[in-house]
Amino acid sequence: LRDPVSLNVGGEIYTTTLDTLTHHRDSMLGAMFTGQIPVMQDNRGHVFIDRDGKIFRYILNYLRSNSLDLPDGFSEVALLRREADFFQIHPLLEEIRQYERSLPLSLRGGPLGAMIMVNVDSKVRVLHFNLRHGPENYELRTCSVRAHTVELFCTWRAFLSLLCERFSYKTSQGLASPRLCNPRRNRLRLEWVPRPEELPQEQYDKQRYRGLTFCGPEAAPSDDITNAQQSRCEITDIQGFVEELLKVSLAEGFKVDLVTPNPAEILNCTSLRLVK
């Protein structure tokens, strides 16, 4: 074979060079075009490869530029990964995996017909505590705290995992990720108590209360605990939680199906259903 090389990949004709095809010599293409594996030609003299012809353009462009360039809204990532695996182009496989991790779940092959059921509740509790002014000088004080609870069920397990990444508890030891309370039944329970100004931090920690924070996809991950906390917004009420939940779920292709009690005031709902 001499340059230029013409390829017939699944009926699609491509023209390129031997240097491009052998850019990764440990790949299937590298073996084919260095004589390690015999090649087949069609009746017009094109090297014939029985693979997906349209997807091959992205593989060939990667070999040319050493960069994975995909159009916006590209929806055939799984097929591209399978083709890259067939040709054994390992750097391309790694770039595809990184690209997949950056995608919304809805573009990773999520199931149609998925459903989210959310029930929310808030209760006011009266807290009595002693405020110390001196060695033997204590003052009895009272304040109200509001405890928020969210019971969430979703048929799509990966979406629940995404919520566990976006929402974090804020404790005296730092940030802590919530866990599925019932993994087999796809259920997530969130409980948090925002600290009122009149409640000292020491008393708040003594009661083992914890806050709830949210981190959007645009926030860069950080190993620095202080930066990680500053990049998150605190959820102080149910309305704030519902607002952030809607942002995440709508971005993943869900649509609001049922709001109780008043559909016109979705942020003040007591229960919510979304479907995909």
Side-chain angles (χ1 to χ4, degrees), residues 54-215:
K54 293 183 178 179
I55 288 295
F56 187 76
R57 63 173 293 197
Y58 303 109
I59 294 174
L60 186 57
N61 284 336
Y62 177 80
L63 295 175
R64 288 167 171 161
S65 62
N66 207 34
S67 174
L68 177 63
D69 299 311
L70 299 175
D72 293 338
F74 183 73
S75 59
E76 296 184 294
V77 183
L79 179 57
L80 176 61
R81 180 174 10 91
R82 184 162 60 245
E83 294 301 292
D85 183 59
F86 172 82
F87 289 113
Q88 286 295 287
I89 307 174
H90 299 293
L92 175 57
L93 275 170
E94 181 56 33
E95 286 213 30
I96 292 172
R97 293 189 186 102
Q98 293 180 8
Y99 176 80
E100 285 183 301
R101 286 193 286 268
S102 70
L103 288 175
L105 289 175
S106 54
L107 295 181
R108 302 184 206 174
L112 294 176
M115 180 180 66
I116 305 171
M117 291 291 297
V118 187
N119 292 296
V120 300
D121 186 34
S122 292
K123 292 182 179 179
V124 176
R125 300 172 182 172
V126 177
L127 177 65
H128 303 282
F129 62 94
N130 288 318
L131 186 63
R132 184 177 181 180
H133 297 291
E136 296 182 0
N137 184 4
Y138 291 88
E139 176 187 358
L140 179 63
R141 287 195 176 183
T142 301
C143 75
S144 297
V145 296
R146 184 172 289 274
H148 303 298
T149 304
V150 173
E151 297 278 359
L152 194 147
F153 165 79
C154 182
T155 58
W156 188 10
R157 181 77 62 84
F159 182 78
L160 291 177
S161 298
L162 176 64
L163 293 183
C164 290
E165 294 176 5
R166 298 290 177 83
F167 290 97
S168 292
Y169 287 124
K170 184 179 180 182
T171 70
S172 57
Q173 287 77 35
L175 297 176
S177 175
R179 296 180 179 180
L180 300 183
C181 60
N182 196 329
R184 291 186 178 181
R185 297 187 178 180
N186 292 7
R187 294 185 181 277
L188 174 66
R189 179 183 176 90
L190 297 173
E191 297 176 285
W192 76 100
V193 177
R195 183 177 73 86
E197 292 184 1
E198 60 271 24
L199 180 63
Q201 184 69 51
E202 178 185 356
Q203 293 294 327
Y204 181 83
D205 295 337
K206 184 178 180 180
Q207 299 296 324
R208 297 184 178 179
Y209 291 148
R210 55 191 179 183
L212 186 68
T213 65
F214 176 82
C215 180

Side-chain angles (χ1 to χ4, degrees), residues 4-44:
V5 180
S6 292
L7 307 176
N8 178 350
V9 184
E12 300 285 335
I13 306 299
Y14 296 94
T15 302
T16 185
T17 66
L18 287 172
D19 281 344
T20 296
L21 293 169
T22 59
H23 185 72
H24 295 282
R25 288 183 171 266
D26 59 343
S27 69
M28 178 75 74
L29 290 172
M32 290 173 63
F33 291 95
T34 55
Q36 301 175 54
I37 298 177
V39 297
M40 180 191 309
Q41 292 182 315
D42 65 13
N43 55 10
R44 294 187 178 181

